[in-house]
Amino acid sequence: MPGVSVLIAGIGRIDRADPTRDQLAANLTAALMDPASERERRAIEDTVADLHGANTNYFQERRAFAHPTGVKTETSGERILVSWNSGYAGAEPIRAYNVFSGDRMVASLPYRPQLTLAPLSVALRQAEAGDGPFRVEASEKPPVDMF
């Protein structure tokens, strides 16, 4: 559709085996079948702006963004696996995930979307990772060069 670069649709059902039961496929099909006119698109944008203002993101977070949740660690030999669930962007996109052990940053990774229920993760050498506690922060800045 003209003027749309990204659309994030709420998806209640994913069915890769049967696209006729997949909500994303249904939403895309509906959008292609009956595109909104310029006037209709403007009316939708105005309604959303009236309801939520222009300074909130689509998850209705009133802050810049929401940091990752569900941070967990798992030790395996000389490695520590740090995992987390995606953060949510605000007005600016998330560009990096920074992993901290206590107050020290131990990893800085380029943002990547969490495309499945499996959490995002990074494996760290135990000798370099420290003792924690571990936390992961979303950042609007590019990843930090750790070397």
Side-chain angles (χ1 to χ4, degrees):
M1 294 178 70
V4 176
S5 58
V6 175
L7 171 69
I8 301 172
I11 302 171
R13 180 179 181 88
I14 298 172
D15 192 334
R16 288 186 172 44
D18 183 0
T20 64
R21 296 170 43 99
D22 189 293
Q23 188 175 359
L24 180 59
N27 290 352
L28 179 58
T29 301
L32 294 173
M33 290 175 61
D34 189 16
S37 69
E38 177 65 30
R39 192 168 121 197
E40 290 168 321
R41 283 194 302 274
R42 180 67 56 207
I44 292 168
E45 291 171 4
D46 291 345
T47 299
V48 171
D50 287 345
L51 291 172
H52 303 290
N55 295 321
T56 63
N57 67 33
Y58 294 101
F59 296 98
Q60 305 316 314
E61 293 290 340
R62 303 279 180 213
R63 55 189 182 253
F65 52 78
H67 286 290
T69 60
V71 177
K72 295 179 183 172
T73 58
E74 182 181 318
T75 303
S76 176
E78 293 296 314
R79 299 238 179 238
I80 295 177
L81 183 69
V82 180
S83 61
W84 64 93
N85 292 314
S86 184
Y88 293 106
E92 294 295 320
I94 295 172
R95 290 192 167 83
Y97 285 118
N98 297 324
V99 180
F100 292 84
S101 175
D103 291 332
R104 186 170 61 93
M105 187 187 306
V106 294
S108 184
L109 308 161
Y111 168 80
R112 67 181 193 274
Q114 183 177 349
L115 300 175
T116 68
L117 295 178
L120 300 167
S121 64
V122 62
L124 305 169
R125 286 190 279 177
Q126 195 167 12
E128 296 172 352
D131 296 329
F134 289 90
R135 74 180 190 282
V136 179
E137 294 182 359
S139 176
E140 296 171 344
K141 296 178 182 174
V144 175
D145 185 3
M146 300 297 294
F147 299 101

